[in-house]
Every structure is written in C-alpha cells, then in structure tokens.
mmCIF file of all heavy atoms in Angstrom:
data_model
loop_
_atom_site.group_PDB
_atom_site.id
_atom_site.type_symbol
_atom_site.label_atom_id
_atom_site.label_comp_id
_atom_site.label_asym_id
_atom_site.label_seq_id
_atom_site.Cartn_x
_atom_site.Cartn_y
_atom_site.Cartn_z
ATOM 1 N N ASP A 233 8.018 14.220 10.282
ATOM 2 C CA ASP A 233 8.043 13.186 11.336
ATOM 3 C C ASP A 233 6.755 12.318 11.238
ATOM 4 O O ASP A 233 5.713 12.839 11.295
ATOM 5 C CB ASP A 233 8.030 13.885 12.704
ATOM 6 C CG ASP A 233 8.207 12.940 13.853
ATOM 7 O OD1 ASP A 233 8.854 11.840 13.613
ATOM 8 O OD2 ASP A 233 7.871 13.284 14.987
ATOM 9 N N PHE A 234 6.934 11.068 10.900
ATOM 10 C CA PHE A 234 5.821 10.178 10.736
ATOM 11 C C PHE A 234 5.564 9.439 12.053
ATOM 12 O O PHE A 234 6.475 8.893 12.697
ATOM 13 C CB PHE A 234 6.154 9.112 9.616
ATOM 14 C CG PHE A 234 6.214 9.719 8.257
ATOM 15 C CD1 PHE A 234 7.432 9.837 7.555
ATOM 16 C CD2 PHE A 234 5.019 10.113 7.602
ATOM 17 C CE1 PHE A 234 7.487 10.378 6.360
ATOM 18 C CE2 PHE A 234 5.087 10.621 6.366
ATOM 19 C CZ PHE A 234 6.283 10.770 5.690
ATOM 20 N N SER A 235 4.321 9.284 12.352
ATOM 21 C CA SER A 235 3.929 8.560 13.541
ATOM 22 C C SER A 235 3.804 7.112 13.131
ATOM 23 O O SER A 235 3.674 6.783 11.916
ATOM 24 C CB SER A 235 2.551 9.097 14.060
ATOM 25 O OG SER A 235 1.568 8.724 13.111
ATOM 26 N N PRO A 236 3.872 6.208 14.045
ATOM 27 C CA PRO A 236 3.769 4.768 13.734
ATOM 28 C C PRO A 236 2.421 4.450 13.017
ATOM 29 O O PRO A 236 2.431 3.628 12.114
ATOM 30 C CB PRO A 236 3.862 4.088 15.094
ATOM 31 C CG PRO A 236 4.546 5.045 15.945
ATOM 32 C CD PRO A 236 4.211 6.406 15.512
ATOM 33 N N PHE A 237 1.423 5.148 13.427
ATOM 34 C CA PHE A 237 0.091 4.873 12.795
ATOM 35 C C PHE A 237 0.114 5.252 11.292
ATOM 36 O O PHE A 237 -0.404 4.518 10.436
ATOM 37 C CB PHE A 237 -1.069 5.630 13.563
ATOM 38 C CG PHE A 237 -2.359 5.487 12.855
ATOM 39 C CD1 PHE A 237 -3.130 4.342 12.999
ATOM 40 C CD2 PHE A 237 -2.894 6.572 12.103
ATOM 41 C CE1 PHE A 237 -4.305 4.164 12.340
ATOM 42 C CE2 PHE A 237 -4.087 6.368 11.542
ATOM 43 C CZ PHE A 237 -4.837 5.206 11.691
ATOM 44 N N SER A 238 0.664 6.437 10.995
ATOM 45 C CA SER A 238 0.740 6.843 9.554
ATOM 46 C C SER A 238 1.596 5.979 8.727
ATOM 47 O O SER A 238 1.352 5.719 7.556
ATOM 48 C CB SER A 238 1.144 8.279 9.456
ATOM 49 O OG SER A 238 2.431 8.486 9.916
ATOM 50 N N MET A 239 2.704 5.431 9.339
ATOM 51 C CA MET A 239 3.519 4.468 8.586
ATOM 52 C C MET A 239 2.808 3.110 8.303
ATOM 53 O O MET A 239 2.886 2.594 7.263
ATOM 54 C CB MET A 239 4.824 4.218 9.409
ATOM 55 C CG MET A 239 5.877 5.350 9.298
ATOM 56 S SD MET A 239 7.389 4.895 9.870
ATOM 57 C CE MET A 239 7.282 5.269 11.639
ATOM 58 N N VAL A 240 2.040 2.697 9.244
ATOM 59 C CA VAL A 240 1.289 1.418 9.081
ATOM 60 C C VAL A 240 0.221 1.688 7.969
ATOM 61 O O VAL A 240 0.055 0.843 7.089
ATOM 62 C CB VAL A 240 0.579 0.974 10.408
ATOM 63 C CG1 VAL A 240 -0.446 -0.100 10.125
ATOM 64 C CG2 VAL A 240 1.631 0.559 11.349
ATOM 65 N N VAL A 241 -0.431 2.802 8.024
ATOM 66 C CA VAL A 241 -1.450 3.192 6.961
ATOM 67 C C VAL A 241 -0.778 3.220 5.654
ATOM 68 O O VAL A 241 -1.334 2.796 4.546
ATOM 69 C CB VAL A 241 -2.192 4.447 7.313
ATOM 70 C CG1 VAL A 241 -3.066 4.959 6.140
ATOM 71 C CG2 VAL A 241 -3.052 4.254 8.553
ATOM 72 N N ALA A 242 0.406 3.834 5.535
ATOM 73 C CA ALA A 242 1.095 3.966 4.258
ATOM 74 C C ALA A 242 1.521 2.569 3.698
ATOM 75 O O ALA A 242 1.367 2.295 2.530
ATOM 76 C CB ALA A 242 2.309 4.883 4.369
ATOM 77 N N ILE A 243 1.991 1.697 4.580
ATOM 78 C CA ILE A 243 2.441 0.363 4.184
ATOM 79 C C ILE A 243 1.277 -0.411 3.699
ATOM 80 O O ILE A 243 1.319 -1.100 2.694
ATOM 81 C CB ILE A 243 3.146 -0.348 5.392
ATOM 82 C CG1 ILE A 243 4.530 0.318 5.609
ATOM 83 C CG2 ILE A 243 3.313 -1.827 5.072
ATOM 84 C CD1 ILE A 243 5.212 -0.176 6.820
ATOM 85 N N VAL A 244 0.152 -0.333 4.388
ATOM 86 C CA VAL A 244 -1.047 -1.045 3.942
ATOM 87 C C VAL A 244 -1.549 -0.548 2.624
ATOM 88 O O VAL A 244 -1.929 -1.305 1.711
ATOM 89 C CB VAL A 244 -2.204 -0.950 5.084
ATOM 90 C CG1 VAL A 244 -3.492 -1.408 4.529
ATOM 91 C CG2 VAL A 244 -1.772 -1.689 6.295
ATOM 92 N N ALA A 245 -1.528 0.790 2.488
ATOM 93 C CA ALA A 245 -2.039 1.376 1.188
ATOM 94 C C ALA A 245 -1.178 1.006 0.043
ATOM 95 O O ALA A 245 -1.659 0.676 -1.041
ATOM 96 C CB ALA A 245 -2.080 2.965 1.312
ATOM 97 N N ILE A 246 0.137 0.943 0.234
ATOM 98 C CA ILE A 246 1.063 0.528 -0.818
ATOM 99 C C ILE A 246 0.855 -0.885 -1.141
ATOM 100 O O ILE A 246 0.868 -1.343 -2.329
ATOM 101 C CB ILE A 246 2.529 0.803 -0.406
ATOM 102 C CG1 ILE A 246 2.747 2.289 -0.350
ATOM 103 C CG2 ILE A 246 3.506 0.148 -1.294
ATOM 104 C CD1 ILE A 246 4.164 2.734 0.226
ATOM 105 N N SER A 247 0.682 -1.687 -0.163
ATOM 106 C CA SER A 247 0.456 -3.169 -0.369
ATOM 107 C C SER A 247 -0.768 -3.494 -1.098
ATOM 108 O O SER A 247 -0.838 -4.273 -2.088
ATOM 109 C CB SER A 247 0.418 -3.941 0.966
ATOM 110 O OG SER A 247 1.634 -3.862 1.642
ATOM 111 N N VAL A 248 -1.897 -2.842 -0.744
ATOM 112 C CA VAL A 248 -3.153 -2.978 -1.432
ATOM 113 C C VAL A 248 -3.033 -2.495 -2.882
ATOM 114 O O VAL A 248 -3.558 -3.076 -3.801
ATOM 115 C CB VAL A 248 -4.272 -2.264 -0.626
ATOM 116 C CG1 VAL A 248 -5.572 -2.195 -1.471
ATOM 117 C CG2 VAL A 248 -4.575 -2.955 0.627
ATOM 118 N N GLY A 249 -2.455 -1.300 -3.060
ATOM 119 C CA GLY A 249 -2.272 -0.829 -4.413
ATOM 120 C C GLY A 249 -1.424 -1.709 -5.316
ATOM 121 O O GLY A 249 -1.774 -1.958 -6.415
ATOM 122 N N ALA A 250 -0.393 -2.323 -4.786
ATOM 123 C CA ALA A 250 0.422 -3.232 -5.560
ATOM 124 C C ALA A 250 -0.368 -4.581 -5.876
ATOM 125 O O ALA A 250 -0.275 -5.053 -6.967
ATOM 126 C CB ALA A 250 1.692 -3.631 -4.772
ATOM 127 N N GLY A 251 -1.240 -4.990 -4.944
ATOM 128 C CA GLY A 251 -2.023 -6.152 -5.195
ATOM 129 C C GLY A 251 -3.055 -5.868 -6.285
ATOM 130 O O GLY A 251 -3.256 -6.700 -7.193
ATOM 131 N N VAL A 252 -3.626 -4.728 -6.271
ATOM 132 C CA VAL A 252 -4.616 -4.398 -7.299
ATOM 133 C C VAL A 252 -3.936 -4.207 -8.668
ATOM 134 O O VAL A 252 -4.420 -4.744 -9.682
ATOM 135 C CB VAL A 252 -5.334 -2.958 -6.975
ATOM 136 C CG1 VAL A 252 -6.059 -2.472 -8.121
ATOM 137 C CG2 VAL A 252 -6.253 -3.168 -5.780
ATOM 138 N N LEU A 253 -2.726 -3.608 -8.744
ATOM 139 C CA LEU A 253 -2.028 -3.506 -10.000
ATOM 140 C C LEU A 253 -1.637 -4.936 -10.527
ATOM 141 O O LEU A 253 -1.736 -5.240 -11.642
ATOM 142 C CB LEU A 253 -0.752 -2.639 -9.868
ATOM 143 C CG LEU A 253 -1.037 -1.164 -9.713
ATOM 144 C CD1 LEU A 253 0.302 -0.474 -9.511
ATOM 145 C CD2 LEU A 253 -1.642 -0.682 -11.101
ATOM 146 N N ASN A 254 -1.168 -5.731 -9.579
ATOM 147 C CA ASN A 254 -0.771 -7.141 -10.001
ATOM 148 C C ASN A 254 -2.021 -7.918 -10.581
ATOM 149 O O ASN A 254 -1.816 -8.546 -11.664
ATOM 150 C CB ASN A 254 -0.219 -7.856 -8.784
ATOM 151 C CG ASN A 254 0.364 -9.207 -9.125
ATOM 152 O OD1 ASN A 254 0.789 -9.426 -10.221
ATOM 153 N ND2 ASN A 254 0.461 -10.110 -8.138
ATOM 154 N N ASN A 255 -3.157 -7.778 -10.000
ATOM 155 C CA ASN A 255 -4.285 -8.468 -10.477
ATOM 156 C C ASN A 255 -4.779 -7.845 -11.802
ATOM 157 O O ASN A 255 -5.240 -8.570 -12.739
ATOM 158 C CB ASN A 255 -5.453 -8.378 -9.451
ATOM 159 C CG ASN A 255 -5.335 -9.265 -8.305
ATOM 160 O OD1 ASN A 255 -4.544 -10.242 -8.352
ATOM 161 N ND2 ASN A 255 -5.941 -8.938 -7.203
ATOM 162 N N TYR A 256 -4.653 -6.583 -12.001
ATOM 163 C CA TYR A 256 -4.963 -5.928 -13.200
ATOM 164 C C TYR A 256 -4.107 -6.438 -14.402
ATOM 165 O O TYR A 256 -4.590 -6.792 -15.468
ATOM 166 C CB TYR A 256 -4.827 -4.388 -13.105
ATOM 167 C CG TYR A 256 -4.866 -3.682 -14.482
ATOM 168 C CD1 TYR A 256 -6.152 -3.491 -15.041
ATOM 169 C CD2 TYR A 256 -3.748 -3.171 -15.022
ATOM 170 C CE1 TYR A 256 -6.196 -2.832 -16.243
ATOM 171 C CE2 TYR A 256 -3.877 -2.520 -16.311
ATOM 172 C CZ TYR A 256 -5.137 -2.368 -16.840
ATOM 173 O OH TYR A 256 -5.213 -1.675 -18.081
ATOM 174 N N PHE A 257 -2.782 -6.516 -14.179
ATOM 175 C CA PHE A 257 -1.912 -7.028 -15.171
ATOM 176 C C PHE A 257 -2.177 -8.468 -15.526
ATOM 177 O O PHE A 257 -2.064 -8.890 -16.668
ATOM 178 C CB PHE A 257 -0.457 -6.786 -14.864
ATOM 179 C CG PHE A 257 -0.060 -5.307 -14.865
ATOM 180 C CD1 PHE A 257 0.525 -4.744 -13.747
ATOM 181 C CD2 PHE A 257 -0.340 -4.520 -16.000
ATOM 182 C CE1 PHE A 257 0.859 -3.382 -13.830
ATOM 183 C CE2 PHE A 257 -0.015 -3.137 -15.999
ATOM 184 C CZ PHE A 257 0.587 -2.562 -14.936
ATOM 185 N N LYS A 258 -2.456 -9.296 -14.475
ATOM 186 C CA LYS A 258 -2.799 -10.688 -14.717
ATOM 187 C C LYS A 258 -3.993 -10.852 -15.612
ATOM 188 O O LYS A 258 -4.033 -11.664 -16.514
ATOM 189 C CB LYS A 258 -2.949 -11.457 -13.441
ATOM 190 C CG LYS A 258 -1.676 -11.825 -12.752
ATOM 191 C CD LYS A 258 -1.963 -12.589 -11.432
ATOM 192 C CE LYS A 258 -0.706 -12.965 -10.723
ATOM 193 N NZ LYS A 258 -1.051 -13.642 -9.488
#
C-alpha cells in the first residue's frame, strides 16, 4: 500500500534519474 507521499517521491526520483541518464548519453 503506497501512500500519496511515497508515490510522489518515487515519481520525482524516476524523473530525476531519467534526466541524469539522458544528459549522460548526450
């Protein structure tokens, strides 16, 4: 059972991680 706060944290973490990977490949 995920709380709304943990879902927001997970979405932000995934977005930041994807941005970092995108910049690394560029």
Side-chain angles (χ1 to χ4, degrees):
D233 190 24
F234 291 107
S235 68
F237 177 74
S238 62
M239 284 194 271
V240 169
V241 169
I243 290 170
V244 169
I246 290 171
S247 299
V248 169
V252 168
L253 283 175
N254 189 23
N255 286 338
Y256 170 75
F257 289 128
K258 282 183 182 178

